[in-house]
Amino acid sequence: MADLERIRLVLLGGAGVGKSSIVKRFLFKTYTDKYRATVEDLYNREYELGGVTLKVDILDTSGDMQFPAMRRLSIATAHAFMLVYASTSAQSFQCVQQCFEEIREQRADFQDVPIVIAGNKSDLATTHREVRVEEVTDWVYCELPRLRAKVLECSARDDHNVKDLFKALLSLSRFLPVGNSNESNTGLKRRSSAYVSASSSRNKNRNASPSVSNDKKSIVEAVDVASTSDAKLKPRSRSLIRRASRKTKQQINNAPEDCNVQ
């Protein structure tokens, strides 16, 4: 039976910044201007790499902060984070800083968890910019220098840098070697089409390690295969994870307090 490697990517950020639009543009090559508040949506794909199955979960969370228990659980069980703000909203960047504080408080390993900070709506930034990318990079790389993080601006509307966001997360997660220029002939094949849920079943696969050994092949085509538009949807139950592992709970209880965001 093939080994299973699992990575769970969790998107956090304020309401209306475009988290769902980024995910849907990446997975289905679709975009809509209509806004629908998200409670919690889970997308999943499986890939084969040699004899190893890579399972990628993408969790799109609520931005209105009305479900604190669900947020805590998603933070506790994530292998990587995408923190999304809108380049046109200074308040949304403050929300991203708050999200990072939640990660820092709940995760003892917050400095080792891959984080991509995504500035969406770059297509509107020429006329409505409120957050300069230099401001974000100064915060990430100067005030928080020990994080495993990357900053990118993107546009879900124009499909600008959306694929690069997920490539960056895979690279930071050590699935995809940094600086690899060979993006073809990797032997990666998708096993199953994507499915989305509004989250409610027990997940029997508990927090598998998000990293794989260095001798495995590059999986740069993961993001290329995932962005095909012929994916079929399957419903799943309403809550994606009912509990964190005992190890994760211990990490939360022992979270350090030595990193402050100014």
Side-chain angles (χ1 to χ4, degrees), residues 71-95:
R71 286 176 63 82
R72 286 194 297 269
L73 194 55
S74 65
I75 291 173
T77 56
H79 296 102
F81 294 97
M82 186 183 296
L83 307 184
V84 183
Y85 68 95
S87 299
T88 56
S89 169
Q91 182 179 0
S92 69
F93 178 53
Q94 294 173 0
C95 185

PDB file of all heavy atoms in Angstrom, residues 71-95:
ATOM      1  N   ARG A  71     -11.745  28.473  14.545  1.00  0.00           N
ATOM      2  CA  ARG A  71     -10.471  29.094  14.198  1.00  0.00           C
ATOM      3  C   ARG A  71      -9.332  28.470  14.989  1.00  0.00           C
ATOM      4  O   ARG A  71      -8.258  28.181  14.443  1.00  0.00           O
ATOM      5  CB  ARG A  71     -10.524  30.607  14.456  1.00  0.00           C
ATOM      6  CG  ARG A  71     -11.332  31.365  13.455  1.00  0.00           C
ATOM      7  CD  ARG A  71     -11.427  32.821  13.832  1.00  0.00           C
ATOM      8  NE  ARG A  71     -10.133  33.479  13.843  1.00  0.00           N
ATOM      9  CZ  ARG A  71      -9.541  33.944  12.751  1.00  0.00           C
ATOM     10  NH1 ARG A  71     -10.109  33.813  11.580  1.00  0.00           N
ATOM     11  NH2 ARG A  71      -8.384  34.564  12.837  1.00  0.00           N
ATOM     12  N   ARG A  72      -9.545  28.271  16.274  1.00  0.00           N
ATOM     13  CA  ARG A  72      -8.490  27.664  17.104  1.00  0.00           C
ATOM     14  C   ARG A  72      -8.143  26.274  16.608  1.00  0.00           C
ATOM     15  O   ARG A  72      -6.970  25.878  16.563  1.00  0.00           O
ATOM     16  CB  ARG A  72      -8.931  27.624  18.569  1.00  0.00           C
ATOM     17  CG  ARG A  72      -8.916  28.980  19.275  1.00  0.00           C
ATOM     18  CD  ARG A  72      -9.026  28.819  20.773  1.00  0.00           C
ATOM     19  NE  ARG A  72     -10.280  28.200  21.160  1.00  0.00           N
ATOM     20  CZ  ARG A  72     -11.379  28.875  21.451  1.00  0.00           C
ATOM     21  NH1 ARG A  72     -11.382  30.206  21.360  1.00  0.00           N
ATOM     22  NH2 ARG A  72     -12.484  28.255  21.815  1.00  0.00           N
ATOM     23  N   LEU A  73      -9.165  25.524  16.241  1.00  0.00           N
ATOM     24  CA  LEU A  73      -8.933  24.163  15.769  1.00  0.00           C
ATOM     25  C   LEU A  73      -8.204  24.160  14.431  1.00  0.00           C
ATOM     26  O   LEU A  73      -7.299  23.354  14.198  1.00  0.00           O
ATOM     27  CB  LEU A  73     -10.272  23.431  15.645  1.00  0.00           C
ATOM     28  CG  LEU A  73     -10.203  21.911  15.497  1.00  0.00           C
ATOM     29  CD1 LEU A  73      -9.405  21.281  16.622  1.00  0.00           C
ATOM     30  CD2 LEU A  73     -11.597  21.323  15.439  1.00  0.00           C
ATOM     31  N   SER A  74      -8.575  25.059  13.533  1.00  0.00           N
ATOM     32  CA  SER A  74      -7.908  25.114  12.238  1.00  0.00           C
ATOM     33  C   SER A  74      -6.451  25.530  12.399  1.00  0.00           C
ATOM     34  O   SER A  74      -5.568  25.012  11.700  1.00  0.00           O
ATOM     35  CB  SER A  74      -8.646  26.081  11.307  1.00  0.00           C
ATOM     36  OG  SER A  74      -8.583  27.414  11.787  1.00  0.00           O
ATOM     37  N   ILE A  75      -6.172  26.445  13.293  1.00  0.00           N
ATOM     38  CA  ILE A  75      -4.790  26.863  13.547  1.00  0.00           C
ATOM     39  C   ILE A  75      -3.985  25.729  14.160  1.00  0.00           C
ATOM     40  O   ILE A  75      -2.832  25.482  13.787  1.00  0.00           O
ATOM     41  CB  ILE A  75      -4.767  28.105  14.460  1.00  0.00           C
ATOM     42  CG1 ILE A  75      -5.307  29.324  13.701  1.00  0.00           C
ATOM     43  CG2 ILE A  75      -3.367  28.383  14.992  1.00  0.00           C
ATOM     44  CD1 ILE A  75      -5.498  30.566  14.558  1.00  0.00           C
ATOM     45  N   ALA A  76      -4.597  25.004  15.089  1.00  0.00           N
ATOM     46  CA  ALA A  76      -3.883  23.928  15.771  1.00  0.00           C
ATOM     47  C   ALA A  76      -3.507  22.787  14.839  1.00  0.00           C
ATOM     48  O   ALA A  76      -2.506  22.100  15.057  1.00  0.00           O
ATOM     49  CB  ALA A  76      -4.743  23.387  16.924  1.00  0.00           C
ATOM     50  N   THR A  77      -4.281  22.565  13.786  1.00  0.00           N
ATOM     51  CA  THR A  77      -4.068  21.389  12.939  1.00  0.00           C
ATOM     52  C   THR A  77      -3.446  21.719  11.586  1.00  0.00           C
ATOM     53  O   THR A  77      -3.297  20.848  10.742  1.00  0.00           O
ATOM     54  CB  THR A  77      -5.409  20.660  12.708  1.00  0.00           C
ATOM     55  OG1 THR A  77      -6.361  21.577  12.152  1.00  0.00           O
ATOM     56  CG2 THR A  77      -5.952  20.101  14.009  1.00  0.00           C
ATOM     57  N   ALA A  78      -3.071  22.971  11.365  1.00  0.00           N
ATOM     58  CA  ALA A  78      -2.512  23.377  10.074  1.00  0.00           C
ATOM     59  C   ALA A  78      -1.056  22.978   9.944  1.00  0.00           C
ATOM     60  O   ALA A  78      -0.301  22.963  10.926  1.00  0.00           O
ATOM     61  CB  ALA A  78      -2.649  24.884   9.894  1.00  0.00           C
ATOM     62  N   HIS A  79      -0.657  22.655   8.715  1.00  0.00           N
ATOM     63  CA  HIS A  79       0.749  22.453   8.397  1.00  0.00           C
ATOM     64  C   HIS A  79       1.347  23.688   7.744  1.00  0.00           C
ATOM     65  O   HIS A  79       2.571  23.820   7.667  1.00  0.00           O
ATOM     66  CB  HIS A  79       0.906  21.263   7.449  1.00  0.00           C
ATOM     67  CG  HIS A  79       0.471  19.960   8.047  1.00  0.00           C
ATOM     68  ND1 HIS A  79      -0.726  19.379   7.738  1.00  0.00           N
ATOM     69  CD2 HIS A  79       1.087  19.150   8.941  1.00  0.00           C
ATOM     70  CE1 HIS A  79      -0.844  18.231   8.415  1.00  0.00           C
ATOM     71  NE2 HIS A  79       0.233  18.081   9.146  1.00  0.00           N
ATOM     72  N   ALA A  80       0.512  24.583   7.217  1.00  0.00           N
ATOM     73  CA  ALA A  80       0.972  25.812   6.580  1.00  0.00           C
ATOM     74  C   ALA A  80      -0.184  26.801   6.571  1.00  0.00           C
ATOM     75  O   ALA A  80      -1.357  26.409   6.604  1.00  0.00           O
ATOM     76  CB  ALA A  80       1.464  25.541   5.159  1.00  0.00           C
ATOM     77  N   PHE A  81       0.158  28.098   6.527  1.00  0.00           N
ATOM     78  CA  PHE A  81      -0.862  29.145   6.548  1.00  0.00           C
ATOM     79  C   PHE A  81      -0.693  30.082   5.364  1.00  0.00           C
ATOM     80  O   PHE A  81       0.433  30.378   4.936  1.00  0.00           O
ATOM     81  CB  PHE A  81      -0.755  29.984   7.831  1.00  0.00           C
ATOM     82  CG  PHE A  81      -1.063  29.235   9.092  1.00  0.00           C
ATOM     83  CD1 PHE A  81      -0.043  28.711   9.866  1.00  0.00           C
ATOM     84  CD2 PHE A  81      -2.372  29.061   9.507  1.00  0.00           C
ATOM     85  CE1 PHE A  81      -0.308  28.026  11.041  1.00  0.00           C
ATOM     86  CE2 PHE A  81      -2.661  28.372  10.674  1.00  0.00           C
ATOM     87  CZ  PHE A  81      -1.632  27.855  11.442  1.00  0.00           C
ATOM     88  N   MET A  82      -1.834  30.564   4.851  1.00  0.00           N
ATOM     89  CA  MET A  82      -1.846  31.694   3.929  1.00  0.00           C
ATOM     90  C   MET A  82      -2.654  32.801   4.607  1.00  0.00           C
ATOM     91  O   MET A  82      -3.852  32.639   4.855  1.00  0.00           O
ATOM     92  CB  MET A  82      -2.477  31.335   2.584  1.00  0.00           C
ATOM     93  CG  MET A  82      -2.371  32.462   1.560  1.00  0.00           C
ATOM     94  SD  MET A  82      -3.202  32.077  -0.024  1.00  0.00           S
ATOM     95  CE  MET A  82      -2.212  30.684  -0.574  1.00  0.00           C
ATOM     96  N   LEU A  83      -1.986  33.903   4.931  1.00  0.00           N
ATOM     97  CA  LEU A  83      -2.639  35.036   5.568  1.00  0.00           C
ATOM     98  C   LEU A  83      -2.941  36.062   4.488  1.00  0.00           C
ATOM     99  O   LEU A  83      -2.030  36.596   3.859  1.00  0.00           O
ATOM    100  CB  LEU A  83      -1.741  35.641   6.649  1.00  0.00           C
ATOM    101  CG  LEU A  83      -1.203  34.666   7.711  1.00  0.00           C
ATOM    102  CD1 LEU A  83      -0.411  35.424   8.774  1.00  0.00           C
ATOM    103  CD2 LEU A  83      -2.337  33.872   8.355  1.00  0.00           C
ATOM    104  N   VAL A  84      -4.224  36.339   4.273  1.00  0.00           N
ATOM    105  CA  VAL A  84      -4.647  37.153   3.135  1.00  0.00           C
ATOM    106  C   VAL A  84      -5.172  38.503   3.615  1.00  0.00           C
ATOM    107  O   VAL A  84      -6.021  38.573   4.505  1.00  0.00           O
ATOM    108  CB  VAL A  84      -5.744  36.435   2.315  1.00  0.00           C
ATOM    109  CG1 VAL A  84      -6.117  37.264   1.088  1.00  0.00           C
ATOM    110  CG2 VAL A  84      -5.268  35.040   1.901  1.00  0.00           C
ATOM    111  N   TYR A  85      -4.636  39.561   3.005  1.00  0.00           N
ATOM    112  CA  TYR A  85      -5.170  40.900   3.221  1.00  0.00           C
ATOM    113  C   TYR A  85      -5.468  41.509   1.851  1.00  0.00           C
ATOM    114  O   TYR A  85      -5.091  40.955   0.813  1.00  0.00           O
ATOM    115  CB  TYR A  85      -4.172  41.781   3.990  1.00  0.00           C
ATOM    116  CG  TYR A  85      -2.926  42.130   3.215  1.00  0.00           C
ATOM    117  CD1 TYR A  85      -2.822  43.311   2.498  1.00  0.00           C
ATOM    118  CD2 TYR A  85      -1.834  41.266   3.203  1.00  0.00           C
ATOM    119  CE1 TYR A  85      -1.687  43.632   1.781  1.00  0.00           C
ATOM    120  CE2 TYR A  85      -0.685  41.572   2.496  1.00  0.00           C
ATOM    121  CZ  TYR A  85      -0.606  42.753   1.783  1.00  0.00           C
ATOM    122  OH  TYR A  85       0.511  43.063   1.070  1.00  0.00           O
ATOM    123  N   ALA A  86      -6.159  42.627   1.826  1.00  0.00           N
ATOM    124  CA  ALA A  86      -6.424  43.347   0.586  1.00  0.00           C
ATOM    125  C   ALA A  86      -5.497  44.549   0.517  1.00  0.00           C
ATOM    126  O   ALA A  86      -5.398  45.327   1.479  1.00  0.00           O
ATOM    127  CB  ALA A  86      -7.880  43.803   0.521  1.00  0.00           C
ATOM    128  N   SER A  87      -4.817  44.713  -0.613  1.00  0.00           N
ATOM    129  CA  SER A  87      -3.906  45.850  -0.775  1.00  0.00           C
ATOM    130  C   SER A  87      -4.644  47.184  -0.684  1.00  0.00           C
ATOM    131  O   SER A  87      -4.027  48.230  -0.474  1.00  0.00           O
ATOM    132  CB  SER A  87      -3.193  45.755  -2.123  1.00  0.00           C
ATOM    133  OG  SER A  87      -2.430  44.570  -2.211  1.00  0.00           O
ATOM    134  N   THR A  88      -5.957  47.134  -0.820  1.00  0.00           N
ATOM    135  CA  THR A  88      -6.781  48.344  -0.789  1.00  0.00           C
ATOM    136  C   THR A  88      -7.360  48.641   0.594  1.00  0.00           C
ATOM    137  O   THR A  88      -8.157  49.556   0.750  1.00  0.00           O
ATOM    138  CB  THR A  88      -7.948  48.196  -1.773  1.00  0.00           C
ATOM    139  OG1 THR A  88      -8.694  46.997  -1.448  1.00  0.00           O
ATOM    140  CG2 THR A  88      -7.430  48.064  -3.197  1.00  0.00           C
ATOM    141  N   SER A  89      -6.945  47.862   1.613  1.00  0.00           N
ATOM    142  CA  SER A  89      -7.538  48.023   2.942  1.00  0.00           C
ATOM    143  C   SER A  89      -6.475  47.888   4.026  1.00  0.00           C
ATOM    144  O   SER A  89      -5.962  46.796   4.270  1.00  0.00           O
ATOM    145  CB  SER A  89      -8.640  46.982   3.173  1.00  0.00           C
ATOM    146  OG  SER A  89      -9.060  46.961   4.522  1.00  0.00           O
ATOM    147  N   ALA A  90      -6.168  48.993   4.697  1.00  0.00           N
ATOM    148  CA  ALA A  90      -5.214  48.972   5.800  1.00  0.00           C
ATOM    149  C   ALA A  90      -5.756  48.138   6.962  1.00  0.00           C
ATOM    150  O   ALA A  90      -5.004  47.459   7.666  1.00  0.00           O
ATOM    151  CB  ALA A  90      -4.906  50.391   6.261  1.00  0.00           C
ATOM    152  N   GLN A  91      -7.073  48.184   7.154  1.00  0.00           N
ATOM    153  CA  GLN A  91      -7.677  47.419   8.234  1.00  0.00           C
ATOM    154  C   GLN A  91      -7.475  45.921   8.027  1.00  0.00           C
ATOM    155  O   GLN A  91      -7.280  45.171   8.981  1.00  0.00           O
ATOM    156  CB  GLN A  91      -9.165  47.742   8.335  1.00  0.00           C
ATOM    157  CG  GLN A  91      -9.870  47.023   9.473  1.00  0.00           C
ATOM    158  CD  GLN A  91     -11.346  47.385   9.563  1.00  0.00           C
ATOM    159  OE1 GLN A  91     -11.849  48.182   8.771  1.00  0.00           O
ATOM    160  NE2 GLN A  91     -12.040  46.798  10.525  1.00  0.00           N
ATOM    161  N   SER A  92      -7.507  45.458   6.770  1.00  0.00           N
ATOM    162  CA  SER A  92      -7.332  44.033   6.503  1.00  0.00           C
ATOM    163  C   SER A  92      -5.910  43.574   6.841  1.00  0.00           C
ATOM    164  O   SER A  92      -5.696  42.425   7.228  1.00  0.00           O
ATOM    165  CB  SER A  92      -7.657  43.722   5.046  1.00  0.00           C
ATOM    166  OG  SER A  92      -6.686  44.261   4.160  1.00  0.00           O
ATOM    167  N   PHE A  93      -4.933  44.472   6.684  1.00  0.00           N
ATOM    168  CA  PHE A  93      -3.566  44.133   7.073  1.00  0.00           C
ATOM    169  C   PHE A  93      -3.448  44.020   8.587  1.00  0.00           C
ATOM    170  O   PHE A  93      -2.748  43.161   9.113  1.00  0.00           O
ATOM    171  CB  PHE A  93      -2.584  45.161   6.520  1.00  0.00           C
ATOM    172  CG  PHE A  93      -1.158  44.893   6.920  1.00  0.00           C
ATOM    173  CD1 PHE A  93      -0.569  43.650   6.699  1.00  0.00           C
ATOM    174  CD2 PHE A  93      -0.405  45.885   7.524  1.00  0.00           C
ATOM    175  CE1 PHE A  93       0.746  43.406   7.081  1.00  0.00           C
ATOM    176  CE2 PHE A  93       0.898  45.655   7.897  1.00  0.00           C
ATOM    177  CZ  PHE A  93       1.479  44.404   7.681  1.00  0.00           C
ATOM    178  N   GLN A  94      -4.154  44.888   9.301  1.00  0.00           N
ATOM    179  CA  GLN A  94      -4.179  44.767  10.758  1.00  0.00           C
ATOM    180  C   GLN A  94      -4.793  43.445  11.180  1.00  0.00           C
ATOM    181  O   GLN A  94      -4.354  42.828  12.159  1.00  0.00           O
ATOM    182  CB  GLN A  94      -4.961  45.943  11.354  1.00  0.00           C
ATOM    183  CG  GLN A  94      -4.306  47.302  11.146  1.00  0.00           C
ATOM    184  CD  GLN A  94      -5.191  48.450  11.604  1.00  0.00           C
ATOM    185  OE1 GLN A  94      -6.318  48.241  12.089  1.00  0.00           O
ATOM    186  NE2 GLN A  94      -4.698  49.671  11.442  1.00  0.00           N
ATOM    187  N   CYS A  95      -5.790  42.991  10.424  1.00  0.00           N
ATOM    188  CA  CYS A  95      -6.407  41.696  10.710  1.00  0.00           C
ATOM    189  C   CYS A  95      -5.411  40.561  10.497  1.00  0.00           C
ATOM    190  O   CYS A  95      -5.382  39.598  11.263  1.00  0.00           O
ATOM    191  CB  CYS A  95      -7.636  41.503   9.829  1.00  0.00           C
ATOM    192  SG  CYS A  95      -8.567  40.002  10.181  1.00  0.00           S
TER     193      CYS A  95
END
